[in-house]
Amino acid sequence: MDTDTGQGTSTPAQDGTPAPDRFPAQDRFAAGAQYIAGRLRPGTSGRHQAVVDPATGETVYTYELAGPADVDAAVAAAGAAFPGWSGATPGERSDALHRLAEVLAGRAEEFAQAESLQCGKPLRLTREFDVPGTVDNAAFFAGAARHLQGTSAGEYSGDHTSYVRREPIGVVGSIAPWNYPLQMAAWKILPAIAAGNTIVLKPAEITPLTSLLFAEAAKEAGIPDGVINIVSGAGRDAGEHLVGHPDVVMTSFTGSTGVGKRVAEIATRTVKRVHLELGGKAPFVVFDDADLEAAVHGAVAGSLINSGQDCTAATRAYVQRPLYDAFVAQVAALMETVRLGDPFHDGTDLGPLISHVHRDRVAAFVERARGYATIVTGGETPRGDGAYYPPTLIADAAQDSEAVQAEIFGPVLVVLPFDTDDDGIALANDTPYGLAASAWSRDVYRTGRATREIKAGCVWINDHIPIISEMPHGGYKASGSGKDMSAYSFEEYTQVKHVMYDNTAVARKDWHRTIFGDR
Ligand code: NAD
């Protein structure tokens, strides 16, 4: 593996080109990291948070965290904006979202720079995946805003006409993780506001920059103040206050399964609608007739995307015995060609993990695995200031071991052999999670069986990772409930109301007999 991880400098270059100027976070958000009623302001918690560039360990922005009073102000702003925004026509909301897609596209480079800075993601990834995906999402929900659907109206009782209204719900409180801050903000905000709701979003406190930029872009696009509010605060106080807030009618949470359970508990106290997008441990099932080259490349790319900090990343490769040895050798060899380095240089394939704390957590998983499995490649923390960790392949782990069962959330793939097709599918289903999976085979009956029997919200055949705005994203089992993206997500942010008209104009209805008898 080629590793140029900085070793104490902030801008190592594999190709000799100078690094571009970093996103000027401190100047850009000098007014604070709370975006409430259309303007930036500082928090009032009295506690400060550093945003750290994980490639260098340098603090790039410091801000005062949101406290409960900031959450209250944001919820009030969203509540005040609700009558106007929910009363706009679908066409007006659609126009605003089309303009937002244009503003986002026009500022794509600024978004990519800010996202790479706060997350350590290679610019190649933010320019080609995070930002265009977000622009496409905005365009998709601009279209979806005009396509509310419901049961057609009809005289189902004979005496009445019934129809269904789909109405916005009210103020939505959403919470996002740090792994895709921009895309998660977009996945939460866009369907909510397309359907006429207003929103308070809490990004992860270590990655607020692109959520703030998104809110500013929405203002530039003409979306009224108060429709989108951002509270940059810690989970325990700002997060829990938002989830428990009596004026928030729906909680949409993306994050770990452990925190998701806590969020669900709090939201239940005020009978909120709850949407949970939680952890994953995606299986990658390779049958013995698979295209080995495709499976090897798919496994390496699918496990290393965003340094493995992806809830759908390939984490458990199950390979049918005839292909197992070749698969292990080729995946290890390909992983060793992946270049760790400065996110801002073109030659970099993988950046650092999100933080040193998280890197050490990932490294600790691998250290424990040494006691019960084989580290085929990787597994050594590089020297230097950045939070880097190399692509790592683990073999010989038991199915019930920690490396196979727990979400590591780093560039770590575990590989296990299997014998029969029954075994491959049973092993794929044998974790608490069910977010995503893939199956690799040239046989349509084998892949068809995998799509039916693997319990996951998404099953890819002969690929692993691609997502599209038109299709739903969400989990089975401990990976949560509810969908992001697609028309399914849009519908979750609406309330279905049955409206029934009497058609008879008769004062004494037939069914009144149940009360009055023959009188
Ligand atoms: P996390 O659960 O630690 O935090 C997620 C968010 O919840 C953050 O904004 C955090 O501040 C907030 N939070 C923490 N404690 C809280 C509390 N008690 N009450 C309210 N909010 C609280 O997750 P993370 O480490 O930021 O992100 C990684 C996790 O997210 C992984 O488990 C990953 O699989 C999951 N994830 C899932 C999806 C999906 O679509 N299913 C997408 C991305 C990430």
Side-chain angles (χ1 to χ4, degrees):
M1 179 184 51
D2 181 353
T3 49
D4 181 352
T5 58
Q7 308 294 328
T9 65
S10 59
T11 55
Q14 288 117 341
D15 55 5
T17 53
D21 287 342
R22 303 276 159 122
F23 176 79
Q26 199 66 51
D27 293 343
R28 196 68 177 64
F29 297 118
Q34 316 307 327
Y35 187 87
I36 299 171
R39 74 181 181 89
L40 287 168
R41 52 159 107 162
T44 61
S45 68
R47 292 189 298 120
H48 288 77
Q49 174 73 41
V51 176
V52 175
D53 173 359
T56 62
E58 289 166 12
T59 295
V60 296
Y61 180 51
T62 305
Y63 70 95
E64 187 165 358
L65 286 160
D70 305 302
V71 173
D72 290 344
V75 172
F82 181 72
W85 185 247
S86 60
T89 64
E92 288 164 344
R93 289 199 293 267
S94 173
D95 284 351
L97 289 173
H98 277 301
R99 289 194 300 273
L100 174 58
E102 281 169 23
V103 174
L104 293 169
R107 290 170 55 179
E109 184 59 19
E110 183 186 27
F111 275 89
Q113 293 280 342
E115 192 78 329
S116 285
L117 182 67
Q118 66 180 352
C119 299
K121 292 168 191 266
L123 261 185
R124 197 198 303 157
L125 181 66
T126 53
R127 282 178 178 158
E128 295 179 18
F129 184 72
D130 300 71
V131 177
T134 301
V135 173
D136 188 64
N137 258 224
F140 173 81
F141 282 109
R146 303 185 83 151
H147 286 274
L148 278 174
Q149 292 180 351
T151 316
S152 57
E155 278 76 43
Y156 301 108
S157 80
D159 286 346
H160 305 85
T161 299
S162 284
Y163 67 89
V164 164
R165 286 176 56 83
R166 274 195 179 272
E167 299 180 346
I169 310 173
V171 175
V172 175
S174 293
I175 297 183
W178 47 256
N179 62 334
Y180 290 104
L182 174 61
Q183 293 202 81
M184 294 304 106
W187 289 13
K188 299 297 178 206
I189 292 171
L190 290 166
I193 68 169
N197 304 286
T198 56
I199 187 166
V200 178
L201 172 82
K202 192 200 86 60
E205 55 272 40
I206 56 175
T207 54
L209 301 179
T210 43
S211 300
L212 296 170
L213 284 176
F214 189 96
E216 289 188 340
K219 185 177 177 107
E220 193 180 326
I223 293 175
D225 292 350
V227 172
I228 299 171
N229 305 275
I230 310 292
V231 288
S232 305
R236 278 273 167 196
D237 43 20
E240 295 200 3
H241 194 69
L242 180 61
V243 177
H245 202 293
D247 298 336
V248 171
V249 294
M250 172 174 173
T251 292
S252 177
F253 171 83
T254 298
S256 59
T257 297
V259 175
K261 289 179 185 168
R262 170 94 182 131
V263 163
E265 262 174 43
I266 298 171
T268 301
R269 292 178 203 152
T270 42
V271 200
K272 288 183 175 39
R273 183 179 294 200
V274 184
H275 173 164
L276 299 170
E277 298 289 349
L278 309 178
K281 186 76 181 175
F284 183 104
V285 183
V286 184
F287 293 102
D288 58 13
D289 66 328
D291 176 337
L292 185 62
E293 183 189 357
V296 165
H297 282 78
V300 173
S303 62
L304 299 185
I305 183 152
N306 202 25
S307 298
Q309 302 164 123
D310 183 312
C311 49
T312 61
T315 57
R316 301 178 282 140
Y318 296 103
V319 185
Q320 210 153 18
R321 199 79 66 179
L323 292 187
Y324 180 78
D325 289 342
F327 182 90
V328 172
Q330 291 181 32
V331 165
L334 191 57
M335 280 184 164
E336 287 165 11
T337 68
V338 169
R339 297 160 300 178
L340 262 67
D342 188 293
F344 291 88
H345 283 280
D346 290 344
T348 292
D349 300 321
L350 277 199
L353 300 192
I354 188 69
S355 68
H356 292 76
V357 170
H358 185 60
R359 191 271 308 275
D360 293 347
R361 184 178 166 273
V362 169
F365 270 111
V366 177
E367 283 314 306
R368 290 193 293 277
R370 262 182 227 290
Y372 59 81
T374 306
I375 312 303
V376 183
T377 189
E380 299 293 338
T381 302
R383 289 179 303 110
D385 295 333
Y388 289 90
Y389 199 74
T392 297
L393 182 66
I394 299 177
D396 305 323
Q399 173 64 19
D400 63 357
S401 64
E402 180 187 62
V404 178
Q405 293 292 323
E407 188 179 38
I408 299 174
F409 225 53
V412 180
L413 178 66
V414 188
V415 58
L416 298 94
F418 70 91
D419 292 307
T420 66
D421 289 17
D422 286 353
D423 295 342
I425 289 177
L427 290 165
N429 283 330
D430 180 29
T431 72
Y433 296 108
L435 187 59
S438 64
W440 299 71
S441 166
R442 292 181 167 99
D443 180 335
V444 69
Y445 297 106
R446 280 176 142 174
T447 55
R449 180 178 175 199
T451 63
R452 289 190 302 276
E453 295 186 15
I454 294 179
K455 303 281 179 265
C458 170
V459 179
W460 289 284
I461 299 301
N462 295 325
D463 207 342
H464 194 113
I465 286 300
I467 49 171
I468 44 175
S469 299
E470 291 82 355
M471 285 290 139
H473 169 92
Y476 280 32
K477 300 175 8 187
S479 293
S481 58
K483 299 294 177 191
D484 279 330
M485 303 206 291
S486 77
Y488 293 93
S489 165
F490 184 51
E491 290 187 3
E492 285 182 20
Y493 290 92
T494 66
Q495 199 140 242
V496 171
K497 179 184 281 175
H498 170 209
V499 179
M500 187 179 241
Y501 278 82
D502 166 60
N503 291 334
T504 63
V506 172
R508 306 285 297 270
K509 315 282 191 213
D510 190 43
W511 71 268
H512 291 181
R513 279 183 291 115
T514 59
I515 302 294
F516 306 121
D518 293 337
R519 284 172 288 131

